[in-house]
Amino acid sequence: QVQLVESGGGLVQPGGSLILSCVASGSLLTMNVMAWYRQFPGKERELVAAIFSGGSTNYADSVKGRFTISRDNARKTVYLQMDSLKPEDTAVYYCNTPFGSTYPWGQGTQVTVSS
């Protein structure tokens, strides 16, 4: 059973930065194809960023140029570098594959952007 644990969220002022981490444990062999999602209150999770086997990445238009996804297979960790944060980035952030709930969802990490 794969377990995903997200961390790194917190309260940050507009324009600030955060780095989120997602560590996988269990039978997951690689983090080659992974993604970050976020969920606003009362809304469905939305895909924010994805990374694929060859290293290519995709981003939602709302975060393009501000967020960067990366991975460390040796540490079974995927990261989300978030810069130039805006209040509308406030959400709970989760990781999984780009195909949805391939693995059980973790508890997520809350990101709050506010002055």
Side-chain angles (χ1 to χ4, degrees), residues 1-75:
Q1 181 78 338
V2 173
Q3 183 178 16
L4 301 171
V5 179
E6 301 92 350
S7 63
L11 174 64
V12 63
Q13 292 188 341
S17 298
L18 283 174
I19 301 175
L20 306 184
S21 299
C22 169
V23 180
S25 62
S27 58
L28 187 148
L29 297 179
T30 75
M31 304 287 274
N32 276 347
V33 183
M34 292 295 292
W36 282 95
Y37 296 77
R38 64 186 179 187
Q39 188 170 25
F40 303 112
K43 299 290 183 65
E44 296 290 321
R45 286 188 188 93
E46 63 177 36
L47 185 66
V48 172
I51 188 165
F52 300 93
S53 296
S56 62
T57 55
N58 280 344
Y59 297 93
D61 287 344
S62 57
V63 306
K64 205 169 291 184
R66 301 188 298 120
F67 290 11
T68 304
I69 187 171
S70 61
R71 63 176 175 234
D72 184 337
N73 274 324
R75 290 183 167 83

Side-chain angles (χ1 to χ4, degrees), residues 78-89:
V78 62
Y79 303 98
L80 187 67
Q81 171 76 47
M82 305 189 296
D83 299 317
S84 302
L85 282 161
K86 304 176 181 180
E88 51 264 41
D89 294 318

